[in-house]
Amino acid sequence: VFNDFLEYTIVTLILGFYGAYAVIAIGALLQKLPNMEWLQYLGANSIIIFLPFYLPMKLISYVMLSMYSGYPPGWFAAVLTVFTLAASVLLYWLAHKINAGLWLLQRPTWVKIAP
């Protein structure tokens, strides 16, 4: 990546949009493959991942950085994403199991997804 090229704000914004479109396109293609029901579940229940995402992310990044701070950035980001997604889904499952905190993890009625 050329640093002079990224000094222009509009270029950075356009590249960000292309990245978001790429993630959406890859997700749309992957969900049609067999054994990808988990991806559809995560997409339909994105609010259960978004809301409790922050605290596990901070905890896991603190633990990883306190153990060893020389991780390659790409590896660090991949491990952090996988563990944080798993922790968010685990928190949702735990909230259902003990029947507490569900009001925080349920989609409001005005944004329900039609079946």
Side-chain angles (χ1 to χ4, degrees):
V1 177
F2 302 107
N3 287 335
D4 296 337
F5 189 64
L6 291 178
E7 286 182 10
Y8 302 106
T9 306
I10 191 71
V11 173
T12 307
L13 183 65
I14 291 171
L15 290 175
F17 280 127
Y18 280 145
Y21 292 141
V23 169
I24 292 169
I26 290 171
L29 291 173
L30 284 177
Q31 66 96 19
K32 294 178 182 178
L33 295 175
N35 298 323
M36 285 295 184
E37 293 84 20
W38 62 272
L39 188 61
Q40 288 180 329
Y41 175 80
L42 291 179
N45 297 301
S46 59
I47 197 165
I48 69 167
I49 295 167
F50 175 72
L51 289 176
F53 189 83
Y54 182 75
L55 290 177
M57 180 189 66
K58 292 304 280 184
L59 177 69
I60 293 168
S61 64
Y62 174 76
V63 168
M64 287 179 70
L65 289 174
S66 66
M67 288 176 24
Y68 177 67
S69 62
Y71 293 115
W75 188 85
F76 181 81
V79 169
L80 186 65
T81 301
V82 168
F83 278 108
T84 305
L85 285 174
S88 296
V89 173
L90 182 67
L91 283 173
Y92 180 68
W93 176 80
L94 186 64
H96 270 284
K97 235 7 181 178
I98 64 173
N99 202 17
L102 291 176
W103 60 271
L104 179 63
L105 299 173
Q106 289 178 343
R107 187 179 300 271
T109 55
W110 58 275
V111 289
K112 289 280 185 192
I113 297 176

